[in-house]
Amino acid sequence: MTRTFADTKMISAIVVTHGRLGAEFVATAHKILGDFSGVYSLSNEDKTPQMLAEEIEHIMDHGGSDDAFILLVDFLYGSCGHATLAVERNHRNVHVVSGVNLPMLLAFLNKRNEVPFARLPAELAARGRDSIQSVDTDQL
Amino acid sequence: MAVKLARIDDRLIHGQVILGWVPSVKPDRIVVANDRVAGSDWERKFYSSCVPPEVNVSFATVAEAARQISADLYQTEQLIVLLESAQDTLALIGGGVELKEVNVGGLHYREGSVELLPFVFLVHEERNALRELVKRGVTLSAQDVPSNPAKIINSLVV
């Protein structure tokens, strides 16, 4: 029997970034939304893409076999993108969304229990994109 | 042949190369000389998508890249050649490519490696290969990005 994304039980996220960006995104989300689980961060610092991919898989190993993961990446065209896409290729329950920002991470936390996994990546990308605006106070 | 920059970096194409070295060197082409990537469709596509459209990119095994470059296949182009390891660089030179200077841009910590610089960790085989490069007259210039100073590390690996 072919399993579908609807079978996924819990949707977790790993924020994979340069430097301490990912850890700070998660820490800031905790300050805004309080306690939550299933959100991790990894830095590419001092790692090859292969080492970073191994660390992503190590985190995923702690989840259940029916769990799904969204990999939120700061910059697709580099080691973070390379590592996350390498993992996505090998797992049916993983999807990469690039250009992570705070609204995108908050949207993940608010929507992961409401939106099916198959639709969640596109919704997160849209939320992240919509939050980027050139703001003219006269137009508010 | 016009290899303007030959760089050892175990991340191959990434931000430091695209945002740092490409604007500085202004190459016509990036040659990724790597056996694994040459045989991986998705990695070739991924790395290609990282490169700005005005720069050509090609992928070849180390042996193929050595043949192509030494046969002047790219004679009209200025090249950045990216290599994953010192051993691959030695193989490229062994295949007929003349390099006076090699940029050592990033070799990350691995089991059993020793730190030479914050962005250069060497396992035994790597140090031996760098030593051999020095014996062949290559200047090893450690520099992660063009805006940071270069450090000649020849005396540190012999």
Side-chain angles (χ1 to χ4, degrees), chain A residues 56-123:
Chain A
I56 293 167
E57 300 221 339
H58 182 72
I59 289 176
M60 289 170 50
D61 286 344
H62 290 298
S65 59
D66 293 333
D67 290 352
F69 283 83
I70 302 278
L71 306 180
L72 301 171
V73 186
D74 58 351
F75 186 62
L76 190 61
Y77 303 117
S79 54
C80 296
H82 187 281
T84 51
L85 292 174
V87 173
E88 184 186 75
R89 283 175 49 78
N90 291 327
H91 298 272
R92 53 165 281 285
N93 59 337
V94 174
H95 199 95
V96 176
V97 181
S98 71
V100 63
N101 56 24
L102 192 57
M104 185 192 289
L105 178 57
L106 297 176
F108 169 80
L109 288 160
N110 286 326
K111 292 188 172 185
R112 65 172 158 175
N113 295 323
E114 298 169 11
V115 177
F117 181 67
R119 283 200 353 239
L120 190 57
E123 291 220 8

Side-chain angles (χ1 to χ4, degrees), chain B residues 138-152:
Chain B
V138 175
T139 299
L140 301 174
S141 172
Q143 188 178 18
D144 51 358
V145 290
S147 53
N148 284 337
K151 182 179 172 72
I152 305 302

Side-chain angles (χ1 to χ4, degrees), chain A residues 1-26:
Chain A
M1 189 184 85
T2 306
R3 296 193 334 173
T4 67
F5 289 132
D7 295 328
T8 54
K9 285 183 178 156
M10 177 173 174
I11 306 178
S12 297
I14 309 176
V15 188
V16 183
T17 67
H18 292 66
R20 288 191 45 77
L21 268 178
E24 294 298 337
F25 272 133
V26 176

Side-chain angles (χ1 to χ4, degrees), chain B residues 73-146:
Chain B
L73 184 70
Y74 305 118
Q75 61 178 327
T76 61
E77 295 180 306
Q78 307 285 311
L79 304 181
I80 289 180
V81 180
L82 297 176
L83 299 131
E84 193 175 48
S85 68
Q87 295 92 315
D88 281 356
T89 310
L90 196 55
L92 190 80
I93 289 177
V97 178
E98 289 172 29
L99 297 175
K100 290 191 174 67
E101 181 168 317
V102 170
N103 164 249
V104 182
L107 289 168
H108 288 81
Y109 174 82
R110 287 144 291 160
E111 188 86 31
S113 63
V114 175
E115 180 175 352
L116 192 72
L117 294 171
F119 56 91
V120 180
F121 289 76
L122 300 177
V123 294
H124 188 64
E125 297 77 16
E126 199 97 42
R127 184 180 286 269
N128 283 346
L130 288 177
R131 188 179 296 142
E132 187 58 32
L133 288 171
V134 171
K135 276 190 197 165
R136 296 189 187 200
V138 175
T139 299
L140 301 174
S141 172
Q143 188 178 18
D144 51 358
V145 290

Side-chain angles (χ1 to χ4, degrees), chain A residues 18 44-51 75-79 81-83 85-87 89, chain B residues 10-11 13-15 18-19 36 42-43 46-47 49-50 84 108-110 118-119 121:
Chain A
H18 292 66
N44 73 342
E45 204 146 303
D46 301 327
K47 294 165 199 165
T48 62
Q50 291 75 21
M51 291 156 69
F75 186 62
L76 190 61
Y77 303 117
S79 54
H82 187 281
L85 292 174
V87 173
R89 283 175 49 78
Chain B
D10 53 24
R11 294 157 296 184
I13 297 176
H14 66 114
I18 297 304
L19 302 173
R36 185 193 75 251
W42 87 268
E43 281 190 281
F46 169 76
Y47 282 125
S49 71
C50 299
E84 193 175 48
H108 288 81
Y109 174 82
R110 287 144 291 160
F119 56 91
F121 289 76

